[in-house]
Amino acid sequence: MAEDRKVVLARITGRVQGVSFRAWTRSEAEALGLSGWVRNEADGSVVALIVGTKIAVSHMVERLHVGPAGASVEQVYVEDADPGFAPRGFRITG
């Protein structure tokens, strides 16, 4: 159902690189049946495109506020996004 589909771009700041944040994000996203990608940014943040049902995307955003063990999330900025090329499954792209 297209009306149940949601696409967001999330930028996570804090201590989120060097703590397996991307691998954790992929694992959490796959468990929720989401597609999209996650990557490190040069400014030390992590950015993720998250595509799925409204409920699953909402759960993923909640999880991003906590992150994996070793992470220290300061902020999660979320905005609606155009899916563009959303891959099947969830990928680590950089």
Side-chain angles (χ1 to χ4, degrees):
M1 296 180 152
E3 64 273 0
D4 189 44
R5 180 178 158 107
K6 181 139 179 95
V7 182
V8 300
L9 189 66
R11 177 177 298 274
I12 306 95
T13 64
R15 183 169 181 249
V16 295
Q17 290 189 15
V19 293
S20 299
F21 204 99
R22 292 174 300 157
W24 173 86
T25 299
R26 180 179 59 194
S27 177
E28 295 292 312
E30 288 173 344
L32 290 167
L34 297 166
S35 61
W37 49 259
V38 62
R39 69 177 181 225
N40 283 341
E41 295 291 302
D43 66 2
S45 66
V46 170
V47 173
L49 180 75
I50 304 165
V51 182
T53 66
K54 290 178 184 177
I55 292 171
V57 169
S58 176
H59 287 308
M60 186 67 206
V61 169
E62 289 174 12
R63 293 177 186 187
L64 289 173
H65 281 86
V66 177
S72 179
V73 176
E74 290 178 6
Q75 292 283 335
V76 180
Y77 303 95
V78 179
E79 61 185 54
D80 290 334
D82 180 345
F85 173 72
R88 286 198 173 187
F90 203 93
R91 297 183 185 167
I92 296 173
T93 63

